Amino acid sequence: MSINMGSADRIIRAIVGIVLLALVFVGPQTPWGWIGIVPLATALLGNCPAYSLLGIKTCKKQ
């Protein structure tokens, strides 16, 4: 599993993931907020399976 996401992509995904997870505990308290685990996990791992399938790399490393 190689890293295929750049730092900006990882930061945006982490923020989106945290915001979605916050919806479970505050605000509308909707269970749909658990979907935030996906962008948060991909941000922490630095690998997006969809990017791998599509051949996309946003990182600067080769």
Side-chain angles (χ1 to χ4, degrees), residues 21-50:
L21 280 173
L23 292 177
V24 175
F25 304 106
V26 295
Q29 297 181 344
T30 176
W32 283 101
W34 289 110
I35 199 99
I37 291 174
V38 174
L40 190 58
T42 58
L44 293 174
L45 294 174
N47 184 293
C48 177

Side-chain angles (χ1 to χ4, degrees), residues 2-40:
S2 63
I3 295 175
N4 62 2
M5 293 188 331
S7 58
D9 196 5
R10 292 175 79 173
I11 291 169
I12 292 168
R13 285 175 185 253
I15 292 170
V16 169
I18 291 169
V19 168
L20 286 172
L21 280 173
L23 292 177
V24 175
F25 304 106
V26 295
Q29 297 181 344
T30 176
W32 283 101
W34 289 110
I35 199 99
I37 291 174
V38 174
L40 190 58

